[in-house]
């Protein structure tokens, strides 16, 4: 599986044209190709199409990344679902990591519980992404979750680093 983006966005592509192509397209392979050719300017229609694309395991990671980069706030529930999805292979882990990173970028306070569970129970890469996202959320609730996680001997160093990124006064003051 090629997981390297061809080109992150196509600055010259009119989002209205992209949205028209998406609406007219019923073939899954053609829709995957469209997700690999995203317009440089996000619109609500493009965002809605990418929320749908989060269900396609072959392009979900790319849709998640784009939604995070463009601030797709309406995608948060679908991203939480994607992050919580059972991981059976490396592509699904990669996809979950992208969803977790995007939840942090979007400052999703509703994801704090999920991210805390992922930090406690996941692979090292997913755990690190969950801690970083808790730091990026940057709220008192995410700070509290990071403090709880720092009491876990396996997570203490990484959680302490996340508290610094968060800007937690208790972490900064020592």
């Amino acid at each position: 599986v090629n997981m390297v983006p061809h080109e992150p966005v196509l600055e010259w592509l009119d989002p209205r044209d992209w949205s028209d192509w998406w609406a007219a397209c019923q073939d899954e392979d053609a829709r995957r190709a469209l997700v690999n050719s995203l317009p440089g300017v996000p619109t609500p229609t493009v965002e809605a199409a990418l929320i749908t694309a989060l269900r396609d395991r072959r392009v979900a990671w790319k849709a998640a990344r784009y939604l995070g980069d463009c601030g797709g706030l309406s995608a948060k529930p679908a991203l939480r679902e994607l992050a919580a999805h059972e991981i059976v292979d490396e592509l699904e882990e990669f996809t979950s990591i992208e969803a977790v990173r995007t939840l942090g970028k979007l400052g999703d306070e509703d994801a704090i519980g999920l991210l805390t569970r992922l930090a406690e129970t996941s692979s090292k890469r997913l755990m690190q992404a969950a801690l970083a996202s808790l730091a990026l959320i940057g709220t008192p609730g995410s700070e509290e979750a990071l403090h709880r996680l720092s009491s876990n001997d396996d997570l203490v160093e990484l959680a302490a680093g996340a508290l610094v990124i968060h800007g937690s006064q208790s972490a900064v003051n020592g």
Side-chain angles (χ1 to χ4, degrees):
V1 174
N2 179 11
M3 294 194 295
V4 178
H6 303 288
E7 186 174 346
V9 294
L10 301 176
E11 297 298 332
W12 52 266
L13 183 61
D14 187 316
R16 292 169 297 199
D17 290 339
W18 189 95
S19 297
D20 289 345
W21 297 334
W22 181 272
C25 182
Q26 298 304 315
D27 179 69
E28 294 211 10
D29 289 330
R31 280 195 165 192
R32 285 185 198 103
L34 283 172
V35 173
N36 285 320
S37 304
L38 292 163
V41 179
T43 65
T45 307
V46 170
E47 187 176 318
L50 291 176
I51 291 169
T52 300
L54 289 173
R55 295 187 208 119
D56 183 337
R57 72 181 302 265
R58 289 184 269 180
V59 294
W61 70 271
K62 184 164 183 93
R65 182 176 290 174
Y66 184 88
L67 288 163
D69 290 346
C70 74
L73 298 177
S74 63
K76 290 192 279 188
L79 288 161
R80 287 192 296 270
E81 186 178 317
L82 185 60
H85 191 273
E86 183 180 352
I87 296 171
V88 296
D89 61 22
E90 193 172 334
L91 177 58
E92 286 188 359
E93 180 184 40
F94 184 79
T95 299
S96 290
I97 289 169
E98 281 301 324
V100 164
R101 287 178 179 156
T102 298
L103 291 168
K105 286 181 188 177
L106 298 177
D108 186 5
E109 291 185 71
D110 292 337
I112 291 172
L114 168 64
L115 295 172
T116 302
R117 283 190 305 282
L118 290 173
E120 293 171 322
T121 62
S122 299
S123 69
K124 184 168 183 164
R125 293 187 307 184
L126 189 52
M127 175 264 298
Q128 290 171 329
L131 289 169
S133 287
L134 285 166
L136 288 175
I137 290 171
T139 63
S142 65
E143 179 181 13
E144 182 181 317
L146 287 167
H147 277 294
R148 280 195 315 274
L149 291 167
S150 70
S151 66
N152 180 328
D153 289 340
D154 295 332
L155 301 175
V156 65
E157 287 181 35
L158 292 169
L163 281 163
V164 170
I165 293 168
H166 176 282
S168 169
Q169 285 302 313
S170 62
V172 174
N173 294 335

